[in-house]
Each structure stands twice: as C-alpha cells, then as structure tokens.
Amino acid sequence: MHRFRNRRLPAAGSLSIWQKVFLGIDENGRAVRVSLAERNLLIGGEPGAGKSVALNLLVAHAALSLDCRLILVDGKRVELGLWAGCAEAFVGPSITDAITTLKALQVEMDERYDMLLSIGHRKLTRLTGARVVLVVIDELAYFSATVGESRQQKEFVGLVRDLVARGRAAGIIVVAATQRPSSDIVPTSLRDLFGYRWAFRCSTHASSDVILGHGWANEGYTAASIDPAARGVGWLIAEGGIPRRLKSAFLTDVQVVDLAAHAAELRNGGDGE
Ligand SMILES: Nc1ncnc2c1ncn2[C@@H]1O[C@H](COP(=O)(O)OP(=O)(O)OP(=O)(O)O)[C@@H](O)[C@H]1O
Ligand SMILES: [Mg+2]
C-alpha cells in the first residue's frame, strides 16, 4: 500500500505537491500561490469564466509532483482528459464509476488514519512518506444534480463531503469546480469545508457569496462585478483571510500536451510505489 517509502532525491524536471502551486498574478502584480497539500479548493463561476483553465494549472503541478497521486473526475472528459496518462484513475461521465472510485478513496482514507494512529501522528506530513492523493472534480453539479438517479447523486455528494471533511489530514485533498454556484449544489456546510475558495465571474452577488462565503459581496468582494469578457479573473480567499483578485495563469493545449507527456514520462520512470 501507500505507506512508508525511502525518501529519494526529486527527479529532474519534477515538482513536489508540498510546494506551493502558482495560480496567477494579483492586482498588485504579485504572484499568487496556494499550498494544496494543506487545504481543499472549491472553484465556482459561470460557464466560460475560467474554471477548467484554473484546474489545469493545479493538475499540471500535481502531475509533475511524483509525491502526488492523481484521481481525475471529469464528466466532459475533455477538460482534464489530456492528463489521463498521469492519473491513477480517470472517471468520465459515469456516476457509477465516480461512486466506486470515491468509495475506494474513503476506504484508503480510513486505512491511512489507522496507519497514522499506529505511528502516533495526527496528520500526514511530507516526512510520513505516503503520497498525497489529489482528487479533482470538474464539474460537481454534473454528478450531484444531473446524471444518475437521485439516490446515486446523494451517495456521490455524501462521499465528496466525507472526503473533503476528513481527507486532508490523511493526505487526501479535493479540488472541485462548479458552474452552478447555488446553495443547492454548494450548501454552506460543504462550502465551509474548503479552505481555499476561488470565485470566477458569477452572475449574481448571491452566487459569488455561495463560493467566497456569506457577506463578502456586501463588503465589495463580489465576482458579479467581474467583466464577463475578463476570462480568468476571479477572487480567491483562503480560510481566515480576505479575498484577493487575481488573473489566473493560462496553459495552452499544446503546453498541456507537452507537460502531460513530460509528467507521464517522469511517472513511468520507476518512481511509482
Ligand atoms: N487565465 C486566462 N487567460 C486567458 N484566457 C483564459 C483564461 N481563463 C480562461 N480563458 C479563456 O476562457 C475560455 C473558457 O475557460 P474555461 O474553459 O476554463 O471555462 P469554464 O469556467 O471551465 O467553463 P465551463 O463552465 O463552460 O466549463 C478558455 O478556453 C480560454 O479561452
Ligand atoms: Mg470547464
């Protein structure tokens, strides 16, 4: 299993999931980076606002990080599909597959807690040795409100909620995006479990608040004020902080193909477990 392993020197051209991930540039021209190994990330915004572009940045960093396993869930398949060769599991439009994959992760999460307990640690760190598992879901609402029966949708939401609530300390991190920032898709109780929240252009102040947190629109931090033509611009908030407006970095399809090929080569280079 994914327990202890000898620490090795990082492979040339690789990154670590414990390093901060570059997301873009803020209004003051400063680089914006997030520490994914420590917090879950929720992304919301209207269609075409820049969510999948943002997800590709995160997946690119994770794919190049040999200390990270990737689970990709993408109902459209094309948003994250170019990274399939770097992923341990790639779930397309099947809710049954999505549920099976998340259930397996839930089992692994509990095993990891057993392991942590047995060594007297409360959370997984870089030194524990087990790899971080990054679960990326594009689009949340597709599985929670569109495909499958309502029983399956509920089961899917329950699994996502459990992974977001309990996964972090066990090194299982969830990044989820939705083009439906409404309280039925992202109830407050789920939203608040995400330590990072990134709102791209939203059509209303209320939907911006669904992502950033209640009350921010009133304070002037609202993704509804972003120009619809300003794709890739959004507000990012980290737990306990105030929102920062940034323009996300952008990888072209050609760059994604090149990076994915490089990452797959690194991953096939014998560093697996
Ligand atoms: N940071 C950026 N810089 C430049 N262009 C961008 C940026 N972000 C997004 N775009 C442009 O906007 C388009 C739509 O972005 P993206 O596919 O990420 O939207 P989305 O929010 O995922 O939409 P949907 O909900 O329909 O999936 C991109 O194809 C690209 O042309
Ligand atoms: Mg998209």
Side-chain angles (χ1 to χ4, degrees):
M1 285 303 295
H2 318 283
R3 297 269 153 91
F4 306 98
R5 54 200 275 272
N6 294 329
R7 301 196 73 222
R8 304 177 197 164
L9 287 174
S14 70
L15 296 171
S16 166
I17 197 66
W18 298 97
Q19 289 173 306
K20 289 189 169 187
V21 182
F22 177 74
L23 295 184
I25 301 287
D26 76 7
E27 287 179 296
N28 300 313
R30 293 205 194 93
V32 180
R33 295 188 170 87
V34 293
S35 182
L36 262 197
E38 285 170 20
R39 284 173 170 151
N40 300 292
L41 169 65
L42 174 69
I43 300 178
E46 64 183 30
K51 303 176 297 292
S52 299
V53 166
L55 286 182
N56 270 272
L57 300 173
L58 297 152
V59 174
H61 184 109
L64 290 166
S65 302
L66 300 182
D67 49 11
C68 178
R69 290 158 46 202
L70 263 180
I71 309 283
L72 304 177
V73 182
D74 174 9
K76 272 196 220 164
R77 283 182 293 171
V78 290
E79 306 279 26
L80 303 173
L82 296 175
W83 299 103
C86 301
E88 187 174 288
F90 187 94
V91 177
S94 159
I95 191 158
T96 321
D97 289 355
I99 289 171
T100 308
T101 304
L102 296 188
K103 267 189 176 163
L105 276 172
Q106 196 180 40
V107 170
E108 183 173 354
M109 175 172 69
D110 287 322
E111 285 174 0
R112 283 183 166 211
Y113 277 120
D114 288 344
M115 179 270 284
L116 286 169
L117 204 59
S118 73
I119 59 171
H121 289 188
R122 282 182 304 178
K123 68 172 187 178
L124 189 128
T125 67
R126 197 175 198 153
L127 298 176
T128 316
R131 291 197 286 172
V132 169
V133 182
L134 187 71
V135 186
V136 182
I137 305 171
D138 191 6
E139 140 86 44
L140 202 53
Y142 179 75
F143 296 98
S144 69
T146 310
V147 278
E149 297 163 16
S150 106
R151 172 186 55 80
Q152 292 173 305
Q153 295 171 354
K154 277 200 188 110
E155 189 173 8
F156 173 83
V157 173
L159 287 162
V160 171
R161 184 184 286 272
D162 188 31
L163 289 173
V164 179
R166 292 196 297 137
R168 193 168 56 90
I172 297 176
I173 307 292
V174 178
V175 173
T178 184
Q179 60 176 214
R180 283 171 57 185
S182 52
S183 54
D184 54 332
I185 303 299
V186 190
T188 309
S189 57
L190 177 63
R191 190 260 324 281
D192 289 346
L193 296 171
F194 288 88
Y196 289 121
R197 303 189 292 265
W198 193 357
F200 286 92
R201 156 99 196 157
C202 290
S203 49
T204 64
H205 298 313
S207 50
S208 177
D209 269 3
V210 163
I211 302 299
L212 292 179
H214 182 69
W216 284 113
N218 262 342
E219 304 275 327
Y221 301 100
T222 169
S225 66
I226 296 169
D227 183 337
R231 293 174 172 214
V233 173
W235 289 99
L236 174 74
I237 186 168
E239 216 163 47
I242 57 165
R244 257 172 111 177
R245 190 181 159 108
L246 73 143
K247 165 87 178 202
S248 81
F250 178 73
L251 293 170
T252 64
D253 282 356
V254 173
Q255 287 169 328
V256 170
V257 167
D258 285 352
L259 283 169
H262 175 61
E265 204 177 300
L266 286 173
R267 283 170 178 266
N268 294 330
D271 200 65
E273 284 170 81

